[in-house]
Amino acid sequence: MTTLAILEYPDPRLRTKAVPIDAVDDAVRRLADDMLETMYASRGIGLAATQVDVHRRLLVCDVSPEHNRPVVLVNPELVLREAPAICEEGCLSLPGIYASVERAQTIRVRALGRDGAPFEMAAEGLGAICIQHEMDHLEGRLFVDYLSELKRQLIRRRLEKERRQRANTGERSARATVT
Ligand code: ZN
């Protein structure tokens, strides 16, 4: 397995709309495994293919406390969204940035699994928020898009400053639990 490079905001490639996956073959499974490894290595709870510059409809997540319940969703579709909830989110493509976003507290999603078989799953709380966040990535949407233009500009400037500092010191900043 390989750890993949994660695109960071405001990289325009994060705005690409992902295309459906025709068949879950070995290449798709390998990508899902690499994405899981990348997500765990970055201490994230979710990752969309868009974030590793692959513009196909695939996401992975694991919100279990032991990080041992990986979920792979190919061509995910929301079939139910219920109960709005406001929750603080982060994103591996926006290191160190957190903001409150309104999502559905309970969802039902239909997808193909790692084995290519269709299935439906219910998710609530953190799991539901994570899946909605990752599905937004597949549309080229980021959680900062829910904020005001002013806030987004401040975040952009802060990230650019931090990236320059990182480049100067040759260090990478520590990351908290983010998706
Ligand atoms: Zn994200």
Side-chain angles (χ1 to χ4, degrees), residues 10-82:
D11 193 310
R13 289 171 289 181
L14 287 168
R15 297 305 186 179
T16 314
K17 188 173 155 79
V19 298
I21 290 175
D22 295 332
V24 182
D25 55 16
D26 285 346
V28 170
R29 273 186 280 277
R30 200 155 45 237
L31 174 62
D33 293 344
D34 288 345
M35 283 170 56
L36 281 166
E37 178 163 322
T38 305
M39 178 189 84
Y40 289 128
S42 312
R43 295 197 288 275
I45 57 169
L47 189 68
T50 310
Q51 291 175 280
V52 294
D53 201 22
V54 176
H55 302 286
R56 304 175 75 190
R57 303 186 81 80
L58 167 65
L59 65 88
V60 297
C61 60
D62 185 347
V63 297
S64 69
E66 301 81 17
H67 312 294
N68 60 0
R69 301 197 58 188
V71 174
V72 174
L73 300 178
V74 176
N75 301 338
E77 274 175 68
L78 283 181
V79 291
L80 176 87
R81 315 173 68 235
E82 267 182 356

Side-chain angles (χ1 to χ4, degrees), residues 126-144:
L126 190 58
I129 287 157
C130 183
I131 289 170
Q132 290 168 86
H133 175 115
E134 304 312 332
M135 286 181 70
D136 268 1
H137 277 300
L138 301 180
E139 298 302 320
R141 205 180 300 134
L142 296 161
F143 79 100
V144 288

